[in-house]
Amino acid sequence: MAATGSPGSSGGDIEHGYPHLDTVRAAVTALYKRLSYDTVRTFDTSVPPADVAFDDGEELYAGAQRVARAMVQHLRLPDARVIVAFRDMTLAANVELTAGPEYFVELNTRFKTHRRDIGAALAHEVMHVYLHRLDLSFPGTPANEILTDTATAYLGAGWLLLDAYREHGPFAQKLGYLTPEEFGYVLAKRALLFGEDPAPWFTSPQAYDAYKAGMALARRDAQQPPLAAAGWAGRRRYAGARRAAQDPRRAGRPDSRAPAGGYAFEGSGPLRVSFPCPTCHQRIRVPVRGRLRARCGLCRTELECDT
């Protein structure tokens, strides 16, 4: 039996930027590998705001159970029952992972007066149940929690976690292990995949700004060489790395790599280039022979390349 929890940060403790980006991308790849393309596509609709709205007029425990059921239904866990309680603790929330079918989630007592964020806390904890049943995890608590946040966002409930990020004068709050910008990045990846824009659901201006920042980075993923959409500077760097890889004097040396783009040249006859799929981040390998179309075998994305 394992206990997992979601942290809550405030004030200067809130981290920004993309310190966990490699793990986030690995988590997206792991979701496709474990769930399959077809299952990921069934999550094309996010949890709607109406299902998790929680005002002061609703009875606390009944409302918490209602929101928990909405998360269970969204993740299609019909035989899982989530029992919600409140207690004083350091973490924002906690769940005991057992064989089921009942799972006990504890929420920090502060949610009794911050009901609008109960959905965000429950989204993370119910995702722990989902991943536990899938037997999908990463080694070590930090990486596993990043996997949970990423899965929550990518599968349609994580917009709540980003919306829980707010700053008002001296008050600041964030839920989850990802930074606001990392949440924005995963939500942007989802938006680009399904054409579903979560921006109208944000009640926090800071959440919207983080989403925009994440979207800019997500779009850059699809503009890295050898993808045909790459910009002039990237194409120039790629051409230089390709010439170096084709130089016979470099035979036997380590592969030429462009860290910014993540591509690498491999072999010599014929030369091949590998690069991360901009959708699922699985590495794709294609021959270096000019314009071609590649198809990711994991997420089925078709890519125009100029190798």
Side-chain angles (χ1 to χ4, degrees):
M1 178 168 58
T4 64
S6 176
S9 300
S10 62
D13 295 331
I14 295 178
E15 189 174 23
H16 287 275
Y18 304 94
H20 315 110
L21 190 57
D22 288 344
T23 306
V24 167
R25 288 170 170 167
V28 173
T29 306
L31 282 175
Y32 276 95
K33 287 183 175 180
R34 185 67 182 87
L35 291 178
S36 81
Y37 162 85
D38 291 324
T39 301
V40 170
R41 296 293 302 191
T42 65
F43 290 95
D44 57 341
T45 302
S46 292
V47 175
D51 287 2
V52 294
F54 201 147
D55 60 42
D56 292 337
E58 186 171 6
E59 199 279 325
L60 177 65
Y61 289 91
Q65 292 298 147
R66 174 184 59 80
V67 175
R69 283 194 300 272
M71 295 301 171
V72 167
Q73 291 168 0
H74 176 73
L75 294 175
R76 302 171 184 86
L77 294 168
D79 59 340
R81 297 189 297 274
V82 175
I83 311 301
V84 183
F86 296 83
R87 75 175 176 91
D88 292 327
M89 57 182 173
T90 303
L91 294 172
N94 184 68
V95 62
E96 292 288 339
L97 296 178
T98 65
E102 290 188 339
Y103 297 88
F104 295 90
V105 174
E106 294 177 315
L107 301 181
N108 193 298
T109 51
R110 69 184 173 88
F111 288 113
K112 289 183 176 181
T113 54
H114 292 81
R115 297 184 178 191
R116 63 188 291 187
D117 296 325
I118 284 178
L122 287 173
H124 179 95
E125 301 309 323
V126 176
M127 182 56 71
H128 268 302
V129 174
Y130 183 73
L131 296 178
H132 175 68
R133 289 188 160 205
L134 286 177
D135 194 26
L136 175 59
S137 64
F138 279 180
T141 297
N144 200 52
E145 295 292 354
I146 291 168
L147 167 65
T148 303
D149 274 346
T150 302
T152 306
Y154 204 77
L155 299 183
W159 67 268
L160 288 158
L161 282 159
L162 179 54
D163 197 39
Y165 165 54
R166 291 186 291 276
E167 294 189 52
H168 305 290
F171 171 80
Q173 171 190 279
K174 182 186 78 70
L175 297 180
Y177 288 74
L178 299 185
T179 68
E181 293 79 13
E182 287 168 340
F183 271 122
Y185 173 76
V186 181
L187 290 172
K189 286 286 193 181
R190 173 184 170 80
L192 293 172
L193 177 67
F194 293 120
E196 181 192 66
D197 183 10
W201 304 333
F202 293 134
T203 62
S204 163
Q206 293 81 24
Y208 179 71
D209 290 343
Y211 173 64
K212 287 198 300 182
M215 178 61 79
L217 180 59
R219 291 190 185 281
R220 285 199 293 274
D221 285 349
Q223 298 168 349
Q224 299 295 331
L227 298 175
W232 176 83
R235 297 297 311 163
R236 184 177 181 182
R237 287 193 300 270
Y238 178 84
R242 182 179 57 201
R243 285 194 299 271
Q246 292 170 325
D247 187 344
R249 292 171 298 179
R250 296 179 62 88
R253 296 186 186 182
D255 293 342
S256 300
R257 183 178 296 272
Y263 54 82
F265 294 101
E266 305 169 354
S268 56
L271 185 67
R272 299 173 70 85
V273 61
S274 69
F275 61 96
C277 170
T279 299
C280 71
H281 304 287
Q282 171 86 339
R283 292 197 74 81
I284 299 171
R285 289 172 175 79
V286 296
V288 175
R289 64 181 187 203
R291 287 264 180 174
L292 57 85
R293 175 173 290 186
R295 186 172 187 265
C296 178
L298 186 60
C299 70
R300 304 184 188 178
T301 300
E302 292 193 354
L303 304 164
E304 295 292 337
C305 302
D306 186 356
T307 60

